[in-house]
Amino acid sequence: MNYELVGISVLWLFLFGYIIVASIDFGAGFFSLHAKLFNQSHQINHLIQRYLNPVWEVTNVFFVFFFVGIVGFFPDTAYYYGTVLLIPGSIALILLSIRGAFYAFENYGQDSKLSWLMLYAVSGLLIPASLSTALTISEGGFIKETATGKIDLNWTALLLNPYGWAVVFLALVSVLYISSGFLTFYAHRAHDHNAYELMRKWFLMWGPPMMFISLFVFLSLRVQNEAHFNSAVWDYGWLFILSFIAFIAAGILTYMKKAHGIAFIFVIIQIGTAFFGYGLSKLPYILYPYIQIKDAVTSDGMAVVLIIAFIGGLLLLCPSLFFIFKLFVFDKDYVRGKK
Amino acid sequence: MDAVDISRFLTGMTLAVHIIFATIGVGMPLFFAIAEFIGIKKKSAQYIALAQRWAKGYTITVAVGVVTGTVIGLQLSLLWPTFMRIGGHVIALPLFMETFAFFFEAIFLSIYLYTWNRFKNQWIHFLMSIPVIIGGTFSALFITSVNSFMNTPAGMEFKGGRMVNVDPIEAMFNASFFVRSFHVVTTALMTMAFILASIAAFKLLKNKVVKDRAYHQAALKMTMIAGLIFSLLSMLAGDLSAKFLHQVQPEKLAAYEWHFDTASRADLVLFGVLDESTQEVKGALHIPGALSFLSDSSFDTEVKGLNDFPKDELPPLIVHYFFDLMVFFGIFCFVVSFAYVVMLWIKKRNPQHQFLLYTILLTGPAAMLAIEFGWFLTELGRQPWIIRGFLKVQDAVTDANGLVFVTILFAILYFVLLFSATYVLLKMFKNKTAHEHIEHLNRNRGEA
């Protein structure tokens, strides 16, 4: 069996899971702050809290799962990414810590402060930006090697790179797009008319710029890593076309105020097809040109055990995740604030 | 300072902060579960309030535990990339399983915290605490397995600077895994018991809200009895650890005890100051033969001394102080809880005696300090190795620039986190006293 392919698929799936749930969370911070500053807090905050209080911790675990998994399956990634991401990674970690902790302080501590909300909201937008650095670096060209074989991040190349910035903006806008998509659905379910109108407006507003930036990411990828670009267009172009169709479908449904659950499923399909299209066209590289999936993989024995552990873990997690969603997302009375 | 020192300092700082919250994280669920169990069984709103208030405070410590845990998880790769490249795939299984356990705990903790009134049958809510306890304990076991591998590597061969022929199960259940896990779990429960007892003692001493006395007395009784049980188990675990070290990591035990020359009837050295150049110990209390006895239950056992190990593989001798402090604080907690239980047992005595309450007040911080010292001594005791016998710390550190910068950032972060977490926790219970909480529960039950 092709362990490395199983491994990377599992990890990619978890990263995708993280992107969806974390985006909802990160975007929610921005919307809360915006509402607070424009005196609309009463409209959306209780809605956001009702969803986020029970699930924020679970969101975090998706991320931990991804980085623990990638080091286990592909030990070389620890060396290269670990070294070059020292500063961007540490900054992302600090932002994640501030965000997680102050979210808890603000919501469980019942001692609300505007400054804490600011920390929570602003860090939520900076985290996707700093995490997206890892994706940019993976395209190659940002690692410098010294004569003695040591490696470090080439900051000038990174900061002056149009592709890098395009990815940062795409990460930011997608966060707001995904988050407002979910909250539109959640507000509609909660029969919370004000929040629903507000979220629907945000969702429709962020869609077009996101598409525009995506196109720019494509174009700049051509400059950054032509092989990757060609593979994306010629081998997996159909996935991106599917993604675009799903985008249109989600937009139309939301615009017509119909079937918000299905509209959000279209959002997931849209992001999913684009994300897997990006990942597939990138293969066989995990970090161009240093790490390919085949030469970085862990020993066979460990790969088998990891996959077994993974299946066992899923058998435990899926029912639990289903249970928590049943209680806090699909339970109409809870969502409407009656429980 | 060079890269190795800064990276060690930063890793040490992160772990020193994380271990506070991790210990609470492992220990706490059992306590609110017990309180809820008694509450449902006795139909007592007082114990339900206890469980709810403990669980409420727990949300804050868990949040800080989660974020600092995420930090250390990634810092391993950021600061020690070579270590993770060489050893990362060997410890992948326990690391991976730790995430699962943590996932499981996180899901059910959320459910537990937000469903106090959602289930008609109270026992169903109580059952939600079981996966939280299991998840927390197992994540402690798995992460201890990772650390044990670094002390007693197993299940692989080292060839050409790489670890090959990995046997994941053997690596996970390496020699020191069981004895260390046992020590970690029992001391976490012990520490939690004493922290909660400290809070109760503090409230009883302050006696600001007279109506709350019964509530705090109940909490004190429950946590002190648990404290006695878990401190006994911790001492057993400590004894097993010493015997284990004697067998497998003798240089660590010798460094703990400043035992320089191999000898039978070796003394146990308590406290004292060392002159490293002459190997002379001043002002110490020597217990003849006790080290031999501790190592192998016989006074005649020969204990290997530091002079018989290669000089460049010796741990720093400062660990002795940490060892003394850990043992001292641990025994202090045991003595106090023992005295309390005796007072409780002899009906005429008053277990809420002022002096006793003051000593109980000290047990929480003492137990937490013992945890910190214990981890300092075991981690420093592994020096100069990062994976004992295979990889030294100086060969595992990152080449990247910017270490000082990120160290300062993290130091600020931890300061802010500790400060605000304390502030929030202190403020949390100000608005609603325990008896109001209990009355509230009783009222709601009347309506239902």
Side-chain angles (χ1 to χ4, degrees), chain B residues 394-409:
Chain B
Q394 73 250 33
D395 301 322
V397 76
T398 182
D399 297 327
N401 292 311
L403 275 171
V404 175
F405 172 68
V406 297
T407 306
I408 294 170
L409 283 188

Side-chain angles (χ1 to χ4, degrees), chain B residues 38-56:
Chain B
I38 301 176
I40 300 175
K41 192 101 187 154
K42 285 188 174 176
K43 296 192 170 44
S44 149
Q46 176 173 284
Y47 280 96
I48 298 286
L50 198 58
Q52 288 188 347
R53 288 161 79 85
W54 280 345
K56 196 177 165 204

Side-chain angles (χ1 to χ4, degrees), chain A:
Chain A
M1 199 164 69
N2 200 340
Y3 299 129
E4 62 262 31
L5 213 59
V6 177
I8 197 73
S9 312
V10 163
L11 295 171
W12 206 241
L13 194 70
F14 262 82
L15 189 58
F16 175 64
Y18 179 66
I19 285 181
I20 296 291
V21 288
S23 294
I24 295 173
D25 183 352
F26 294 153
F30 172 80
F31 296 128
S32 309
L33 179 67
H34 187 276
K36 178 107 178 176
L37 295 177
F38 292 90
N39 286 324
Q40 298 164 321
S41 299
H42 54 282
Q43 286 186 23
I44 60 164
N45 273 10
H46 54 103
L47 184 83
I48 288 175
Q49 276 167 20
R50 209 151 48 228
Y51 166 73
L52 276 185
N53 279 354
V55 302
W56 81 266
E57 229 186 299
V58 179
T59 304
N60 215 45
V61 192
F62 275 93
F63 180 54
V64 178
F65 196 97
F66 173 75
F67 71 69
V68 165
I70 197 164
V71 173
F73 271 106
F74 307 101
D76 279 0
T77 56
Y79 177 69
Y80 286 98
Y81 282 111
T83 307
V84 298
L85 288 176
L86 177 68
I87 292 180
S90 295
I91 291 176
L93 275 178
I94 287 171
L95 292 168
L96 272 172
S97 307
I98 291 177
R99 188 181 155 81
F102 282 89
Y103 178 78
F105 296 163
E106 163 103 11
N107 287 286
Y108 306 147
Q110 281 126 24
D111 189 40
S112 196
K113 286 186 178 8
L114 182 64
S115 53
W116 291 4
L117 185 63
M118 294 277 263
L119 283 175
Y120 168 65
V122 175
S123 58
L125 294 183
L126 295 176
I127 293 166
S130 56
L131 287 180
S132 65
T133 319
L135 288 182
T136 306
I137 289 171
S138 72
E139 296 299 338
F142 302 103
I143 294 179
K144 59 180 179 202
E145 284 175 273
T146 63
T148 52
K150 292 183 170 183
I151 55 167
D152 203 353
L153 180 60
N154 186 343
W155 278 96
T156 16
L158 183 67
L159 291 177
L160 293 176
N161 190 282
Y163 175 73
W165 286 106
V167 172
V168 166
F169 283 114
L170 181 60
L172 268 179
V173 176
S174 330
V175 157
L176 298 173
Y177 172 79
I178 297 170
S179 186
S180 55
F182 175 80
L183 291 170
T184 308
F185 155 69
Y186 203 73
H188 185 255
R189 212 179 158 77
H191 290 294
D192 189 335
H193 190 70
N194 288 332
Y196 167 71
E197 284 297 330
L198 196 66
M199 282 302 145
R200 179 173 162 272
K201 203 175 75 193
W202 283 110
F203 179 73
L204 294 172
M205 203 183 102
W206 287 114
M210 189 191 58
M211 269 301 135
F212 181 74
I213 300 172
S214 302
L215 282 177
F216 191 75
V217 168
F218 253 97
L219 293 177
S220 48
L221 179 65
R222 188 174 179 179
V223 181
Q224 190 62 37
N225 186 337
E226 200 173 349
H228 186 179
F229 172 80
N230 285 334
S231 171
V233 173
W234 304 115
D235 300 341
Y236 299 102
W238 58 277
L239 276 172
F240 293 98
I241 292 170
L242 264 183
S243 172
F244 186 71
I245 295 171
F247 166 73
I248 298 290
I252 290 176
L253 283 177
T254 309
Y255 184 75
M256 294 170 68
K257 302 190 174 183
K258 283 206 171 90
H260 290 287
I262 293 170
F264 187 66
I265 290 173
F266 273 119
V267 172
I268 294 180
I269 294 172
Q270 177 206 337
I271 307 291
T273 43
F275 187 70
F276 280 88
Y278 167 83
L280 282 168
S281 54
K282 201 178 172 66
L283 291 178
Y285 288 103
I286 298 181
L287 172 61
Y288 183 85
Y290 296 96
I291 314 176
Q292 292 196 19
I293 55 167
K294 65 171 171 27
D295 53 35
V297 81
T298 183
S299 53
D300 275 6
M302 182 54 91
V304 175
V305 174
L306 282 182
I307 291 168
I308 293 172
F310 177 75
I311 293 169
L314 274 192
L315 289 178
L316 196 70
L317 283 189
C318 288
S320 318
L321 275 174
F322 176 74
F323 188 41
I324 194 172
F325 279 109
K326 190 168 145 39
L327 285 170
F328 300 116
V329 179
F330 300 121
D331 186 307
K332 278 194 175 142
D333 286 339
Y334 175 80
V335 175
R336 286 174 199 164
K338 286 179 191 157
K339 279 187 181 172

Side-chain angles (χ1 to χ4, degrees), chain B residues 128-332:
Chain B
M128 296 301 143
S129 68
I130 308 280
V132 180
I133 297 171
I134 293 174
T137 312
F138 272 80
S139 84
L141 295 185
F142 291 131
I143 211 67
T144 310
S145 159
V146 171
N147 187 270
S148 303
F149 174 83
M150 295 160 81
N151 279 276
T152 53
M156 51 84 193
E157 285 169 56
F158 201 66
K159 275 185 192 152
R162 293 188 83 96
M163 291 186 174
V164 291
N165 293 336
V166 178
D167 179 340
I169 307 295
E170 209 186 315
M172 186 159 120
F173 297 109
N174 55 72
S176 58
F177 168 66
F178 289 103
V179 67
R180 299 171 117 250
S181 309
F182 183 50
H183 202 147
V184 165
V185 173
T186 50
T187 50
L189 291 167
M190 163 184 163
T191 304
M192 201 61 236
F194 287 117
I195 290 175
L196 295 171
S198 278
I199 297 172
F202 177 76
K203 291 286 183 185
L204 287 170
L205 281 169
K206 228 177 146 200
N207 202 15
K208 210 166 108 190
V209 186
V210 182
K211 278 187 178 173
D212 281 1
R213 274 196 82 84
Y215 167 88
H216 293 305
Q217 277 165 2
L220 188 69
K221 186 173 163 188
M222 182 184 139
T223 52
M224 284 309 267
I225 293 173
L228 178 64
I229 295 169
F230 292 126
S231 55
L232 276 168
L233 286 174
S234 301
M235 291 196 299
L236 173 67
D239 183 56
L240 291 175
S241 301
K243 290 185 169 41
F244 175 83
L245 288 180
H246 169 68
Q247 298 284 338
V248 184
Q249 285 177 282
E251 79 282 4
K252 208 169 177 176
L253 187 66
Y256 286 177
E257 280 307 313
W258 289 340
H259 181 64
F260 292 99
D261 299 311
T262 303
S264 60
R265 297 188 168 272
D267 293 359
L268 191 71
V269 181
L270 293 179
F271 305 102
V273 184
L274 177 73
D275 181 348
E276 282 203 36
S277 54
T278 60
Q279 301 191 341
E280 215 174 307
V281 182
K282 277 183 197 144
L285 199 69
H286 290 261
I287 305 178
L291 183 58
S292 289
F293 188 76
L294 202 66
S295 305
D296 202 19
S297 307
S298 153
F299 291 103
D300 293 324
T301 303
E302 187 177 87
V303 182
K304 211 171 164 190
L306 286 169
N307 292 335
D308 285 357
F309 295 97
K311 276 257 176 309
D312 58 339
E313 290 178 13
L314 289 185
L317 294 174
I318 187 178
V319 290
H320 173 76
Y321 301 110
F322 292 123
F323 185 71
D324 278 344
L325 288 168
M326 173 188 80
V327 172
F328 175 78
F329 285 128
I331 289 183
F332 169 75

